[in-house]
Each structure stands twice: as structure tokens, then as C-alpha cells.
């Protein structure tokens, strides 16, 4: 089993990068989610990447080099922690793959709060704080208005924390 790595792609070029990487024998995965958007004054269902500009890749290091992957059209670079690309746990990738095909998971993503809803953060450093949902951003994280020490502070927390 080949290790998985996280790539940072050029804006809106994940599909191009996937095509070019597949030609080199690289396995690519980027989870997608269906969201409702306004287009020409009408609400439409659109499928978009769950993590814009990011893609998970797996390849045989004896056949494909880091340099050739990094130099592929549509790819910016590997996400690194230090000098070398950081490996991503295989369990995380397989878990995302299995949940993406799960209808319950899709419903959970579509059941996000709407602007102005009051909620309580259930995990992370702000656990237990009351918050007001503001808006989702491109990374499917929620920007929350958290009441802390008498004033509101904007923080970004994962959707799984609300």
C-alpha cells in the first residue's frame, strides 16, 4: 500500500491536476459535497470540493518522484511540515471515501445551521461556548461569532464541532 500525501493545487484546477496525475499512475482523491448556490437568480445544486485547492494523492515512490508530481499542471506543491511532504493516515482517507458515498453523511452536511442560529460548540478549544452561526466558508468550516469575555470574537471551527 502506497502512502497518501496532501497536495495544494492551483485555484479551481483540481480536475486538471487529477487528469494529469492519473496519466502518471498517481491515485488522486478529493472529497466533494453538493451545496445549494444561487446562479442567475435561481437556487441550484452544485457539486464542489469539500476542501478547495487540496487533494490527496498516493503513488509508488519507485515509479513516480515527488518532483514530477509537484511539477504537474494544476499542482502548486505538497503540503509540508518541515522539509518533507507529510504523510496522511490511510484510515482518514478511507473513512472520508466511505462517508462520501453515505447518504446520511450528505444529509448531515446539508443540515448546517443558517445565519443567525444559536448553537453550542461541542468540541475543540471553544467547547461549551455559546455561538451564533455566521456563514460557511470555502473549506466547509464555520465562522462563529463566539461570546467571550463580554465581546464577540470571530473564530473558524470545523463543522463537526457544532
Amino acid at each position: 500500500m502506497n502512502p497518501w500525501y496532501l497536495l495544494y493545487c492551483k485555484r479551481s484546477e483540481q480536475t486538471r491536476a487529477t487528469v494529469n496525475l492519473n496519466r502518471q499512475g498517481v491515485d488522486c482523491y478529493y472529497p466533494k459535497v453538493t451545496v445549494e448556490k444561487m446562479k442567475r437568480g435561481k437556487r441550484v445544486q452544485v457539486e464542489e470540493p469539500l476542501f478547495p485547492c487540496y487533494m490527496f494523492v498516493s503513488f509508488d515512490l519507485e515509479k513516480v518522484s515527488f518532483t514530477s508530481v509537484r511539477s504537474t499542471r494544476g499542482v502548486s506543491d505538497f503540503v509540508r511540515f518541515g522539509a518533507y511532504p507529510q504523510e496522511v493516515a490511510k484510515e482518514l482517507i478511507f473513512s472520508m471515501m466511505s462517508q462520501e458515498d453515505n447518504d446520511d453523511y450528505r444529509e448531515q452536511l446539508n443540515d448546517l445551521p443558517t445565519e443567525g442560529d444559536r448553537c453550542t460548540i461541542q468540541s475543540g478549544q471553544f467547547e461549551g461556548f455559546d455561538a451564533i452561526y455566521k456563514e460557511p466558508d470555502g473549506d466547509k468550516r464555520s465562522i462563529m461569532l463566539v461570546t467571550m469575555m463580554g465581546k464577540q470574537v470571530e473564530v473558524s471551527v470545523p463543522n463537526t464541532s457544532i
Side-chain angles (χ1 to χ4, degrees):
M1 210 64 185
N2 297 323
W4 286 88
Y5 300 96
L6 184 59
L7 278 182
Y8 184 74
C9 297
K10 295 176 183 170
R11 188 113 182 108
S12 302
E13 293 198 16
Q14 286 170 302
T15 304
R16 171 186 272 179
T18 300
V19 169
N20 292 321
L21 289 168
N22 285 337
R23 288 182 187 152
Q24 298 175 47
V26 176
D27 294 326
C28 303
Y29 173 66
Y30 61 99
K32 298 176 194 143
V33 64
T34 304
V35 294
E36 211 173 79
K37 288 194 168 192
M38 293 293 287
K39 284 199 175 180
R40 297 184 183 149
K42 295 182 180 180
R43 290 189 183 272
V44 293
Q45 297 280 335
V46 178
E47 192 172 69
E48 64 181 31
L50 185 61
F51 308 111
C53 299
Y54 291 95
M55 177 189 319
F56 300 97
V57 294
S58 176
F59 55 93
D60 185 356
L61 291 170
E62 293 178 5
K63 296 180 181 176
V64 182
S65 70
F66 285 114
T67 305
S68 63
V69 171
R70 192 173 50 97
S71 301
T72 303
R73 287 190 72 179
V75 174
S76 289
D77 202 352
F78 284 92
V79 174
R80 302 171 185 266
F81 296 104
Y84 300 101
Q86 183 67 35
E87 285 188 29
V88 178
K90 295 172 189 165
E91 295 80 20
L92 175 66
I93 304 298
F94 298 138
S95 174
M96 282 192 294
M97 286 178 176
S98 67
Q99 286 184 1
E100 185 176 29
D101 296 331
N102 185 344
D103 288 334
D104 293 336
Y105 179 67
R106 288 184 185 175
E107 286 178 23
Q108 182 182 4
L109 288 174
N110 290 331
D111 289 340
L112 290 175
T114 57
E115 185 175 348
D117 284 355
R118 292 194 169 278
C119 52
T120 303
I121 300 175
Q122 298 179 1
S123 64
Q125 64 183 2
F126 298 106
E127 183 177 348
F129 283 90
D130 291 327
I132 301 170
Y133 185 86
K134 183 178 177 189
E135 63 180 320
D137 64 10
D139 294 330
K140 296 299 167 205
R141 295 183 177 267
S142 301
I143 296 180
M144 308 296 278
L145 294 175
V146 180
T147 306
M148 291 174 44
M149 300 187 310
K151 67 177 186 174
Q152 291 183 341
V153 179
E154 274 191 21
V155 295
S156 179
V157 296
N159 283 341
T160 57
S161 296
I162 47 177

